[in-house]
Amino acid sequence: MELARNINQEPKSNKVSVGKSDLKVGLLFLAPSILLFSVFLFYPLVRTVYYSFHITDITGEQSVFVGMENYLFLFQDPVFYESLKATFLFVLYTVPTSIGAALFLALLSNEKLKGIGFFRVIFSSTMGISAAASAVIWLFLFHPSVGFFNNVLHSLNLPLVQWLINPDWALLSVSITTIWMNLGFSFLILLGGLQNIDQTLYESAAIDGAGYFTRLWRITLPSLSPTLFFITTVTLINAFQSFGQIDILTGGGPNDATNLLVYSIYKEAFVNYHFGTASAQAIVLFVFIFILTILQFKFAERKVHYQ
């Protein structure tokens, strides 16, 4: 009888009910994060949007509501267009090159060679150097008279280059510095991705007679695609937000050749005290980064192979 009663008993529901007390406990755990995001992210974003519709005084207080005039002024300003052009060129110079160099070094460091651990430390060492310290190092390397690069050119009887003074070379020089600065982080993430690839895939390919480049194209890159997608997204956003090395190396010059959008925002707000137009530039930069990120997730993620 007891067995029949148990058989006829209806199965219990698998649904888990969440009571008000559980919700309160969850919100309590989230409170520190919500507070930090509110103070350092949401509130500044709202204030930036608010300032972008106003003309502000030297103290940063809004004085006159002007609507969209700050945005209209930006898109009629040739200096703003030069800043946009320099920013996109900078991104084009730095993102593919830094990812390609980091991938090459990661592939090299992933080989089982004697003493490769030392080179892994060297390749990732740029992570431990701040943007200011890195910029000072490269400032000496680019020095027109005692710098390393011009000394090499002089020894080869080649004409010297005014790396940070000539508008034709300044953006390239800052890009080289940025590539070196980003190399350590990208290298370390890609090396971790390579070491997580299942080695049995390589063993099976070797048995089938696949060469190194066939294994690289058919196994390594598809398996590494989630890591490459992450690195590309992060590096792209960081390139748009570059500031420290530009401030130290060139100060946005010469002739606004390195006046990238973030540095233009800084000058407009804290040098010219035009907080309204600086906020409008910040919103434009946010929109650019947001659109590029959405496009990257929409199109580039299709080629990502998740295991």
Side-chain angles (χ1 to χ4, degrees):
M1 294 291 293
E2 185 68 25
L3 179 61
R5 191 163 40 248
N6 291 335
I7 292 174
N8 294 328
Q9 191 176 17
E10 293 183 0
K12 294 182 179 179
S13 175
N14 291 327
K15 293 183 179 179
V16 178
S17 60
V18 179
K20 292 184 178 180
S21 59
D22 296 327
L23 182 61
K24 290 180 180 179
V25 172
L27 291 175
L28 184 63
F29 279 107
L30 288 174
S33 299
I34 294 173
L35 179 62
L36 287 174
F37 276 106
S38 300
V39 173
F40 295 105
L41 182 62
F42 301 135
Y43 175 74
L45 178 60
V46 172
R47 293 293 291 181
T48 301
V49 174
Y50 180 74
Y51 278 145
S52 68
F53 297 117
H54 291 78
I55 294 177
T56 57
D57 57 24
I58 195 171
T59 63
E61 293 299 325
Q62 65 278 2
S63 57
V64 180
F65 176 79
V66 294
M68 298 295 294
E69 287 189 17
N70 285 329
Y71 294 94
L72 294 175
F73 171 77
L74 286 181
F75 288 103
Q76 294 173 357
D77 185 10
V79 176
F80 178 70
Y81 282 104
E82 288 297 322
S83 179
L84 280 179
K85 178 183 175 182
T87 302
F88 281 103
L89 282 175
F90 177 79
V91 171
L92 184 63
Y93 292 159
T94 57
V95 175
T97 309
S98 61
I99 294 175
L103 179 60
F104 172 75
L105 294 178
L107 290 171
L108 183 65
S109 299
N110 196 44
E111 298 295 325
K112 297 179 180 179
L113 302 174
K114 186 176 182 180
I116 197 65
F118 170 77
F119 290 98
R120 289 176 182 172
V121 174
I122 296 298
F123 296 153
S124 60
S125 61
T126 59
M127 286 187 61
I129 306 176
S130 66
S134 301
V136 170
I137 293 171
W138 284 89
L139 189 64
F140 282 102
L141 294 175
F142 287 127
H143 195 278
S145 57
V146 298
F148 170 78
F149 295 121
N150 273 354
N151 284 336
V152 172
L153 293 176
H154 178 73
S155 64
L156 298 174
N157 294 322
L158 296 174
L160 303 184
V161 176
Q162 303 295 326
W163 299 97
L164 301 175
I165 302 174
N166 189 333
D168 296 330
W169 288 95
L171 185 61
L172 181 61
S173 303
V174 175
S175 300
I176 293 172
T177 304
T178 306
I179 291 168
W180 181 82
M181 289 169 54
N182 295 336
L183 197 61
F185 173 77
S186 301
F187 162 78
L188 209 58
I189 298 298
L190 290 171
L191 180 61
L194 286 172
Q195 293 183 344
N196 283 328
I197 298 175
D198 189 359
Q199 296 299 312
T200 57
L201 298 174
Y202 293 109
E203 294 172 1
S204 301
I207 293 173
D208 292 337
Y212 175 81
F213 289 102
T214 302
R215 296 196 302 269
L216 175 65
W217 186 255
R218 297 292 184 180
I219 299 175
T220 304
L221 293 182
S223 301
L224 196 63
S225 56
T227 308
L228 284 170
F229 179 73
F230 168 75
I231 285 294
T232 303
T233 304
V234 172
T235 306
L236 187 68
I237 295 174
N238 288 340
F240 275 102
Q241 296 177 341
S242 297
F243 174 80
Q245 65 271 33
I246 298 163
D247 185 39
I248 294 175
L249 290 173
T250 61
N255 297 330
D256 292 330
T258 60
N259 187 32
L260 305 188
L261 205 49
V262 169
Y263 195 78
S264 177
I265 294 169
Y266 162 76
K267 288 201 305 183
E268 195 72 9
F270 301 108
V271 177
N272 301 328
Y273 297 104
H274 296 159
F275 295 98
T277 52
S279 298
Q281 289 187 56
I283 297 301
V284 171
L285 176 63
F286 168 77
V287 171
F288 277 138
I289 295 176
F290 181 77
I291 292 174
L292 285 174
T293 305
I294 292 297
L295 291 175
Q296 190 170 1
F297 272 89
K298 184 175 179 59
F299 296 106
E301 195 177 18
R302 295 177 181 177
K303 299 182 179 180
V304 176
H305 300 276
Y306 294 103
Q307 294 181 353

